[in-house]
Every structure is written in structure tokens, then in C-alpha cells.
């Protein structure tokens, strides 16, 4: 599993029936092929569902099954690819669902500190509490499957930038008294900033019909 998966990893029982085909981890070409084909098939299936039932299941997937099966398919994909984008969105969703109170703390601090339109683009209410952030990330994920894919990616990127700002400023607060906590927050801020850049790049690729 990649380093991206470790911070938000959640061990779960793996449903054997989830995907029709497993792949051999020792075959990178097969891993890549399956990752891209399943991401494309999943997106096409969700967008063709008139009742939204498939989308409902996809949004609720990590709550029911955790992240292991998705990780097996997508975690080693390039960051600026369709499976790479979906993997990052599911990681962000899991991060918020697992600890919405910390997510809300980081978001509110970031919203007050950041000098950009990112809080507006992300679309969270003001102030944004734990329940509001859970609803926001689910709405963003739903937008990937039902709405404008690029807009959903841009919202996710903006959300990550706000969170990264909050984590970075909190790290500064703790630097003198709790160095380990400051270090963990700095690591989180850097990771979220990386996600923001990757998701924004994926949005641009999608608009050029180049995200595969």
C-alpha cells in the first residue's frame, strides 16, 4: 500500500464479492490496467444510473467497507489520473468521517487564516461544524458521480487547501509546547497541499478530456 494510504487507513473485513477480478500485486502493468479500467467503468455506471442508487452506494462505500478494497485497486495509480483522483477523494472522505471534530477544527482555522476564495469554492457553511463537514465531503463525492466532475475536483482541491492552511497554522501554535503534535500537523498540511495540487490538476485534465 502506498504512503498516501497509511495516515487514513482503517482495517476492515473485506467483502469478497466486491470486485469480480483481483490482480497480482507483482504485475505493475496489470495493476495499472485494472485500476484504470475499473475507475472508468465505475464512473460510467454511476453516471448512467437514473435513480442515483449506485451513487448512494458509492458515497457510503467507505463507511460500510473501509478503504482496503479501493486501495488494492487504486492506491498505486499516478496521482494525476482518474483512479488516482478517486483514491484521494475516498481518502479525504474517510479522514473526515473518522474524525470530523478535528476536520472541523482545521477547516475553521484555515478559513480564518487563508487569503483566497477557497472557502467559497469548497462550499462549506460558516461556521462549519463536524456534521457540516461530513455532509460537505459526501456532497463533493456525489458530485463526482452525478454532477460536473471537474467542479467536484475543484471543490475538493479548495477544501484541501483550507484544511492544509488550518493544519499549518495549528502546527505553528504547538511548535513550542508540543513538538510531536506540531510535526504531525505539519505532515498533514503537506499531504493535504499535495492532494490539492493533484486534484486541481485532474480537474484541468478532465476539462481537456485528458484524464484517464
Amino acid at each position: 500500500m502506498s504512503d498516501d494510504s497509511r495516515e487514513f487507513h482503517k482495517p476492515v473485513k473485506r467483502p469478497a464479492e466486491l470486485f469480480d477480478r483481483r490482480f497480482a500485486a507483482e504485475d505493475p502493468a496489470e495493476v495499472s490496467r485494472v485500476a484504470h479500467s475499473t475507475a472508468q467503468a465505475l464512473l460510467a455506471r454511476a453516471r448512467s444510473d437514473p435513480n442515483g442508487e449506485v451513487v448512494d452506494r458509492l458515497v457510503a462505500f467507505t463507511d460500510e467497507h473501509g478503504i482496503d478494497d479501493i486501495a488494492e485497486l487504486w492506491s498505486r495509480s499516478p496521482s494525476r489520473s482518474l483512479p488516482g483522483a478517486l483514491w484521494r477523494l475516498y481518502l479525504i472522505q474517510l479522514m473526515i468521517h473518522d474524525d470530523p471534530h478535528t476536520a472541523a477544527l482545521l477547516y475553521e482555522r484555515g478559513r480564518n487564516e487563508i487569503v483566497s476564495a477557497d472557502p467559497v469554492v469548497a462550499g462549506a457553511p460558516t461556521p462549519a461544524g463536524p456534521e457540516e463537514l461530513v455532509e460537505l465531503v459526501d456532497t463533493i463525492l456525489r458530485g463526482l458521480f452525478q454532477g460536473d466532475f471537474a467542479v467536484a475536483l475543484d471543490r475538493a482541491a479548495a477544501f484541501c487547501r483550507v484544511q492544509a492552511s488550518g493544519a499549518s497554522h495549528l502546527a505553528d501554535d504547538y511548535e513550542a509546547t508540543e513538538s510531536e503534535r506540531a510535526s504531525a500537523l505539519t505532515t498533514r498540511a503537506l499531504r493535504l497541499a499535495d492532494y490539492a495540487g493533484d486534484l486541481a490538476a485532474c480537474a484541468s485534465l478532465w476539462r481537456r478530456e485528458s484524464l484517464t
Side-chain angles (χ1 to χ4, degrees):
M1 189 176 294
S2 72
D3 288 342
D4 284 346
S5 67
R6 290 173 186 159
E7 183 177 353
F8 308 136
H9 180 65
K10 176 183 178 183
V12 294
K13 182 178 180 180
R14 296 152 55 110
E17 73 280 7
L18 178 61
F19 293 106
D20 292 333
R21 180 171 184 176
R22 300 291 182 187
F23 54 79
E26 67 272 11
D27 185 350
E30 180 69 356
V31 170
S32 178
R33 189 193 70 77
V34 173
H36 284 77
S37 64
T38 53
Q40 291 164 359
L42 180 146
L43 191 61
R45 176 68 181 90
R47 288 176 171 269
S48 69
D49 174 26
N51 299 318
E53 294 177 358
V54 172
V55 175
D56 290 342
R57 292 198 297 271
L58 290 172
V59 171
F61 182 83
T62 58
D63 277 344
E64 297 176 8
H65 305 296
I67 206 76
D68 286 351
D69 290 285
I70 293 175
E72 186 175 3
L73 285 168
W74 296 339
S75 65
R76 283 168 284 174
S77 298
S79 58
R80 301 184 179 188
S81 67
L82 179 58
L86 292 174
W87 167 240
R88 280 154 183 75
L89 261 295
Y90 272 114
L91 280 177
I92 293 164
Q93 185 201 40
L94 186 63
M95 175 188 71
I96 296 168
H97 279 232
D98 275 0
D99 190 358
H101 292 280
T102 297
L105 175 65
L106 297 183
Y107 190 88
E108 279 301 293
R109 181 63 182 272
R111 182 180 64 80
N112 288 317
E113 298 284 357
I114 200 168
V115 184
S116 72
D118 285 321
V120 176
V121 175
T126 303
E131 292 182 1
E132 287 79 11
L133 282 195
V134 168
E135 182 177 355
L136 173 66
V137 73
D138 288 352
T139 298
I140 292 174
L141 191 59
R142 187 177 297 277
L144 292 178
F145 300 121
Q146 285 184 313
D148 186 313
F149 193 86
V151 169
L153 291 175
D154 280 335
R155 290 185 69 186
F159 175 85
C160 287
R161 285 190 291 267
V162 176
Q163 288 262 306
S165 174
S168 179
H169 281 89
L170 279 176
D172 290 342
D173 292 347
Y174 285 110
E175 183 62 39
T177 57
E178 298 182 44
S179 60
E180 289 187 6
R181 186 170 187 182
S183 178
L185 285 166
T186 299
T187 298
R188 185 164 182 165
L190 291 172
R191 180 161 296 172
L192 286 163
D194 285 344
Y195 285 1
D198 291 335
L199 292 168
C202 286
S204 296
L205 289 169
W206 179 265
R207 290 187 173 100
R208 300 199 302 267
E209 298 183 353
S210 300
L211 184 66
T212 59

